[in-house]
Amino acid sequence: MTALNHNEILFIHPLGYPSASAARDISRIANIMPPLGLASLSSYLDERKIKSRIIDCYAHPRSDRLIRDSLITRKPAAMGLSCTTSGFPDGLRIAALGKSLFPDLRVIFGGPHASALKGKLLEQFPLIDFLVIGEGEEPLVELMEGGFADPSSVKGVVYRNRSGEAIFTGHRSDRLNLDSLPFPAYEKLIGFPDTYALPIFNYPKSPNTSCISSRGCPYSCSYCDRSVFRKSFRFNSAEYLYEHLRYLRSRFKIRHVNFYDDLFTFNRERVHQLTRLLTDHPLGITFNCAVRAEHVDKELLFQMKEAGCWMISLGIETGDELLLSRHRSNSNLKRLAETILIIKKAGIRVKGLLMMGLPGETLTSIQKSREFVFSLPLDDINLSKFTPFPGSPIYDRIHEYGDFQEDWEKMDCMHFVFIPDGMTKTILEKEFKRFYKQHFTQIRTLLGYGAMIWRSPDSWIRFIRHFPQFIRFAGSDSRMGAELNP
């Protein structure tokens, strides 16, 4: 039996599909986002004197040898894998690799898929030793500091008892104060920041990166998985966020940041304070963010522009208001349209986020979406393929609304795994491609991308470098839209 280092964990971010496919995956070519959750966990463990290393297989697809060498050299007591639904099968493959080298290695899964399905995963997959449910910082520390021996005392985990039964210890009642957390350990991400890049034409300058300044969402849209943070919503203060940006600028020379928050402007006063700080004490950083129409106004938008806001993403989902009302609150398309006009008037680029294939989708609703979207002065769109994720309100009753093939590897918003009643996959694929074709053949769109030659020259360099892959992408209907995350 090999003695493992009880004070060390190896974090893994799975690729999610065979590494041989990575070079052809246009979504990777166009957008590689750092695994901020793992980087945050790593910095938190550093403060508790627990060692950790991060291997990001999405950024570095052929990482099996690196994983193997790291396990053999470092002999960590645990391997922690953060997985979405589509990345979970690849996480299992990596877990099997670790167990083949060290059978006593503790395999811990976290992330939305684990938080949504909990004990079902332990019952089905014996390779997994523990699941971390919800926020991972404190449960991981307690496991690493002796909790492996008696996990029943660690809130926020799923483990097996002596009978092999999966036991969930319950949600933690205490929630972390986000301002008390250290900045993510960006320096542990191999090649950061140059290895990572925001979506093409979604930033003015490089190097750039993503940042998360809040956790959770108070809304309950039918399609959103809220199993990690549930209905809680917390955010960093403006002062903390300013210091975070200053750290990224001084340490890594970052020039543009995408705030990967669900509701960046939910607390108006926070954003007002941040814009004042960025205006009074400029950092030389521009930023993107995502908002809901009901949480911005003209005054705030102009302040954001002055502070460096370059692009705003806005959830539209569908241009059929009746369909929209079935899946989210405040389904007011007129307000959405008015907000987009104000964003444009403020001089900020605007990106519309949409879905196709929601329960209740019809050819008529798709036509309404096209008419609504192309009547708006949008600079960019992201049209994803609706996916009923575990943990979303719609998941448990999805079979009532159509045909659902629960193939986890394809549950990535890039495949039609759900077909609404009255529709076929062939029709959806055809309409999906038609939607994008109409967007990319509009004169306004073409002129906008042409202007990126001087507004985002690095995007054009990346586009030209990978031109053959983009041409293949344009002629196919697979993995389309993945690169257009907010």
Side-chain angles (χ1 to χ4, degrees):
M1 182 180 296
T2 303
L4 300 179
N5 183 354
H6 73 279
N7 197 43
E8 185 162 346
I9 182 171
L10 175 63
F11 287 123
I12 308 286
H13 178 217
L15 172 61
Y17 52 85
S19 59
S21 302
R24 301 188 302 274
D25 180 7
I26 198 68
S27 63
R28 276 195 71 261
I29 292 169
N31 177 22
I32 301 180
M33 177 181 168
L36 295 176
L38 290 181
S40 296
L41 289 173
S42 185
S43 61
Y44 189 85
L45 294 185
D46 283 346
E47 289 195 337
R48 274 67 180 175
K49 310 302 180 185
I50 299 171
K51 298 176 182 178
S52 62
R53 185 179 183 186
I54 304 172
I55 297 178
D56 182 2
C57 301
Y58 193 79
H60 306 279
R62 301 183 183 277
S63 292
D64 279 11
R65 183 171 181 176
L66 181 60
I67 294 170
R68 182 185 296 271
D69 290 347
S70 185
L71 288 170
I72 292 173
T73 303
R74 309 286 303 185
K75 296 181 176 58
M79 174 188 284
L81 301 107
S82 179
C83 296
T84 60
T85 297
S86 62
F88 181 77
D90 192 37
L92 287 176
R93 183 191 63 79
I94 295 169
L97 170 62
K99 288 282 194 179
S100 70
L101 295 172
F102 299 105
D104 292 333
L105 179 73
R106 298 308 184 18
V107 170
I108 308 169
F109 274 71
H113 194 67
S115 290
L117 295 180
K118 300 183 179 67
K120 294 178 182 178
L121 294 180
L122 252 64
E123 292 168 2
Q124 191 173 351
F125 302 103
L127 275 171
I128 305 174
D129 296 304
F130 299 93
L131 302 174
V132 169
I133 309 303
E135 289 183 311
E137 284 88 351
E138 291 180 318
L140 266 180
V141 166
E142 293 176 19
L143 285 174
M144 294 295 294
E145 291 182 342
F148 291 137
D150 182 20
S152 64
S153 62
V154 181
K155 285 288 186 182
V157 302
V158 180
Y159 71 99
R160 291 187 190 85
N161 62 16
R162 292 181 179 179
S163 303
E165 181 184 5
I167 303 295
F168 175 41
T169 59
H171 293 286
R172 301 187 77 93
S173 57
D174 52 332
R175 295 193 173 99
L176 296 170
N177 177 349
L178 300 190
D179 276 5
S180 71
L181 300 180
F183 301 144
Y186 297 98
E187 69 280 359
K188 293 188 181 183
L189 302 175
I190 299 170
F192 184 88
D194 296 332
T195 298
Y196 298 88
L198 294 174
I200 287 178
F201 304 125
N202 278 217
Y203 60 90
K205 297 177 181 179
S206 62
N208 49 66
T209 190
S210 297
C211 174
I212 297 176
S213 71
S214 63
R215 293 184 180 183
C217 176
Y219 293 100
S220 297
C221 299
S222 73
Y223 41 79
C224 285
D225 173 12
R226 290 287 175 257
S227 56
V228 175
F229 303 117
R230 296 184 287 164
K231 291 188 177 181
S232 69
F233 181 72
R234 288 156 295 146
F235 49 85
N236 290 120
S237 67
E239 293 79 11
Y240 179 98
L241 189 49
Y242 180 83
E243 291 303 319
H244 192 162
L245 294 176
R246 182 157 68 174
Y247 171 73
L248 287 170
R249 181 68 171 137
S250 62
R251 174 76 185 270
F252 303 105
K253 312 302 180 187
I254 295 298
R255 303 176 74 184
H256 181 83
V257 167
N258 176 51
F259 290 112
Y260 205 75
D261 301 63
D262 292 321
L263 296 169
F264 182 70
T265 61
F266 184 81
N267 184 283
R268 189 186 189 283
E269 181 59 26
R270 175 184 84 130
V271 181
H272 171 70
Q273 292 173 6
L274 177 63
T275 57
R276 287 291 301 272
L277 286 169
L278 289 171
T279 303
D280 294 343
H281 309 283
L283 296 172
I285 287 181
T286 51
F287 65 91
N288 296 352
C289 63
V291 308
R292 283 178 66 121
E294 58 267 41
H295 297 303
V296 288
D297 53 60
K298 182 178 179 179
E299 180 185 6
L300 186 64
L301 287 167
F302 275 80
Q303 289 175 4
M304 291 168 65
K305 170 62 177 178
E306 185 180 5
C309 184
W310 196 75
M311 187 177 81
I312 285 177
S313 298
L314 196 95
I316 298 172
E317 317 313 347
T318 174
D320 184 331
E321 194 160 83
L322 181 60
L323 178 61
L324 185 62
S325 68
R326 293 173 54 181
H327 296 284
R328 62 174 281 182
S329 57
N330 300 329
S331 54
N332 188 330
L333 293 182
K334 181 180 178 182
R335 183 170 189 172
L336 276 168
E338 291 172 347
T339 301
I340 288 169
L341 292 174
I342 298 172
I343 294 171
K344 291 295 293 181
K345 188 173 182 179
I348 301 171
R349 283 172 57 80
V350 60
K351 181 178 191 176
L353 310 178
L354 301 116
M355 293 185 198
M356 184 177 288
L358 283 161
E361 187 84 272
T362 63
L363 281 172
T364 300
S365 64
I366 293 173
Q367 178 61 28
K368 286 183 178 180
S369 286
R370 274 200 302 270
E371 292 173 355
F372 180 70
V373 167
F374 297 122
S375 71
L376 301 171
L378 295 171
D379 296 290
D380 212 340
I381 65 169
N382 171 17
L383 177 63
S384 63
K385 299 176 179 180
F386 166 72
T387 302
F389 288 109
S392 64
I394 199 72
Y395 174 77
D396 289 334
R397 62 182 194 279
I398 191 62
H399 290 284
E400 300 174 16
Y401 307 108
D403 180 45
F404 176 39
Q405 300 297 320
E406 192 165 358
D407 183 342
W408 287 347
E409 288 184 312
K410 292 183 177 180
M411 291 174 64
D412 53 8
C413 296
M414 294 175 280
H415 297 84
F416 283 116
V417 294
F418 170 76
I419 309 299
D421 285 334
M423 300 289 281
T424 67
K425 185 176 181 180
T426 300
I427 291 174
L428 287 172
E429 294 286 8
K430 178 182 177 181
E431 293 299 321
F432 186 87
K433 196 168 185 178
R434 180 183 175 191
F435 209 115
Y436 263 114
K437 184 177 180 180
Q438 186 171 346
H439 169 68
F440 286 117
T441 54
Q442 287 193 116
I443 296 297
R444 183 177 67 232
T445 301
L446 295 173
L447 290 174
Y449 287 139
M452 291 297 110
I453 291 175
W454 61 86
R455 295 196 67 189
S456 181
D458 183 71
S459 289
W460 270 105
I461 292 171
R462 290 169 61 199
F463 181 81
I464 293 169
R465 184 187 305 143
H466 298 288
F467 185 72
Q469 291 95 325
F470 281 102
I471 290 298
R472 286 196 296 269
F473 160 70
S476 69
D477 55 12
S478 62
R479 303 190 70 82
M480 184 176 280
E483 80 285 4
L484 297 171
N485 274 328

